[in-house]
Amino acid sequence: MEQIRVALQASDPLSQAGLASYLQSRPELVLVRSADRGEAKVLVVSCDRLTGEVVAMLRRSAAEFGTPVVLVTGEITETELLTAVECRVVAILPRAAVTADRLAHSVLAAANGGGVMPPNLVGELLKHIERLQRDVLTPNGLNASGLTPREIDVLRLMADGLDTNEIAGELCYSERTVKNVIYGVTHRLKLRNRSHAVAYALRAGMI
Amino acid sequence: MAPDCEDPSSPFAGELFLTLAAEGRLVVDSARADAVISGLERTLSLARARLRVLRIWQHAPAQRVDELPRELADDVVDAVFADQLAPGRLEEAVTELPKYIEAMRQARRLVPPGDAA
């Protein structure tokens, strides 16, 4: 069995000793000395927070060796997550939840993953994309469904069976405004008719 | 190679996503990637439309909301207010969202359906 060479860097001696004992307890892993970090196939980094100092070290390591990193940390924000990913972090383990098995599993996955991020990390990145879209749209009174709050109000009443006149009365709009809203949403979203617009809004979970 | 640091005050990380996809580190199954791309394209289209509204308003000789049709007035008020809260955010979105879209297209191309995240 080929052993996987692992380098370890922790921000405090206790974590260094604890994680080293976890790694050394696994026959498939071999811990390399700090000076031999360049030979490691995986780097394990432990820190309470992703401080500037830790980020600088990760950047240097990424630039110099490009080794995949398993990060053990107390807490991490979304911005820090992006920074970590940029620095070749491929797995993040919450400090309080680290066990020898979990650590070994992450190290093996990092070693065998060919640099590809695991699904849970990709999932976190996709959450960033979702949040980003909300941050762009919400302050503008828009949402990812492509419907404005006014359009949603009109569609909701259409779904309740109200005609144009009744919708106008309910929302205190003119009939012309209601017609414009309906025309706008069907035209913009390339919907065929009112029923199609209602179906679209239902499918998008907006009404 | 990691991208140069993006503006730390910006919520966008388009260059990072492009790098991750180009290096094959970001891999997304085709169904999920298509859904994300579709959402991003919709958001981009809305951001561009809203930016057009904002620019028309900014270049209007007399900026009087009460002279606008009600449908447009609401959009103008929303756009101007949002721009006051986060100046330049829409312009940034229109520049950055295409990078995410391209990154997702690259990430999608790299894997057959069902093989990855």
Side-chain angles (χ1 to χ4, degrees), chain B residues 1-16:
Chain B
M1 181 68 191
D4 290 338
C5 292
E6 297 185 61
D7 176 2
S9 65
S10 167
F12 295 98
E15 291 294 339
L16 170 62

Side-chain angles (χ1 to χ4, degrees), chain B residues 38-54:
Chain B
S38 161
L40 283 165
E41 284 175 337
R42 207 157 46 231
T43 300
L44 178 60
S45 164
L46 289 166
R48 281 182 174 145
R50 195 42 68 95
L51 196 54
R52 275 197 297 276
V53 168
L54 192 60

Side-chain angles (χ1 to χ4, degrees), chain A residues 119-165:
Chain A
N120 62 345
L121 208 47
V122 172
E124 291 301 320
L125 293 181
L126 297 185
K127 280 186 202 165
H128 156 78
I129 295 179
E130 281 174 25
R131 186 195 54 75
L132 201 60
Q133 293 179 87
R134 276 199 306 276
D135 287 356
V136 169
L137 297 176
T138 306
N140 281 282
L142 303 168
N143 58 63
S145 71
L147 301 172
T148 66
R150 194 151 42 113
E151 288 167 344
I152 291 168
D153 287 342
V154 170
L155 288 168
R156 187 175 289 129
L157 294 174
M158 277 168 60
D160 287 343
L162 276 64
D163 63 23
T164 305
N165 184 39

Side-chain angles (χ1 to χ4, degrees), chain A:
Chain A
M1 178 181 62
E2 188 190 349
Q3 287 184 304
I4 292 165
R5 301 173 74 79
V6 185
L8 171 64
Q9 176 145 357
S11 56
D12 64 279
L14 193 60
S15 298
Q16 180 83 23
L19 292 170
S21 75
Y22 281 171
L23 293 167
Q24 286 163 335
S25 72
R26 303 295 295 235
E28 65 270 47
L29 306 177
V30 58
L31 195 57
V32 302
R33 294 181 308 156
S34 185
D36 298 328
R37 181 187 288 191
E39 298 171 9
K41 200 166 180 188
V42 177
L43 170 63
V44 175
V45 173
S46 170
C47 57
D48 282 331
R49 293 293 310 266
L50 213 59
T51 60
E53 194 181 343
V54 175
V55 170
M57 183 276 290
L58 287 171
R59 283 194 201 287
R60 277 197 307 275
S61 174
E64 200 172 343
F65 308 115
T67 314
V69 176
V70 172
L71 180 65
V72 178
T73 187
E75 53 181 302
I76 190 162
T77 65
E78 185 182 299
T79 307
E80 290 168 345
L81 169 75
L82 295 175
T83 303
V85 166
E86 185 186 330
C87 297
R88 298 220 162 246
V89 169
V90 295
I92 299 174
L93 295 175
R95 200 182 178 83
V98 176
T99 62
D101 282 347
R102 283 198 181 124
L103 182 61
H105 175 79
S106 294
V107 168
L108 292 170
N112 298 323
V116 176
M117 287 186 289
N120 62 345
L121 208 47
V122 172
E124 291 301 320
L125 293 181
L126 297 185
K127 280 186 202 165
H128 156 78
I129 295 179
E130 281 174 25
R131 186 195 54 75
L132 201 60
Q133 293 179 87
R134 276 199 306 276
D135 287 356
V136 169
L137 297 176
T138 306
N140 281 282
L142 303 168
N143 58 63
S145 71
L147 301 172
T148 66
R150 194 151 42 113
E151 288 167 344
I152 291 168
D153 287 342
V154 170
L155 288 168
R156 187 175 289 129
L157 294 174
M158 277 168 60
D160 287 343
L162 276 64
D163 63 23
T164 305
N165 184 39
E166 290 167 327
I167 294 171
E170 190 76 24
L171 298 176
C172 300
Y173 292 161
S174 68
E175 274 195 64
R176 188 174 163 212
T177 296
V178 174
K179 284 178 183 168
N180 284 344
V181 169
I182 296 167
Y183 173 79
V185 72
T186 50
H187 181 72
R188 192 176 71 250
L189 299 173
K190 298 182 174 56
L191 303 168
R192 283 192 302 278
N193 49 38
R194 292 180 175 214
S195 304
H196 193 187
V198 171
Y200 173 89
L202 281 168
R203 263 208 309 272
M206 297 311 300
I207 62 174

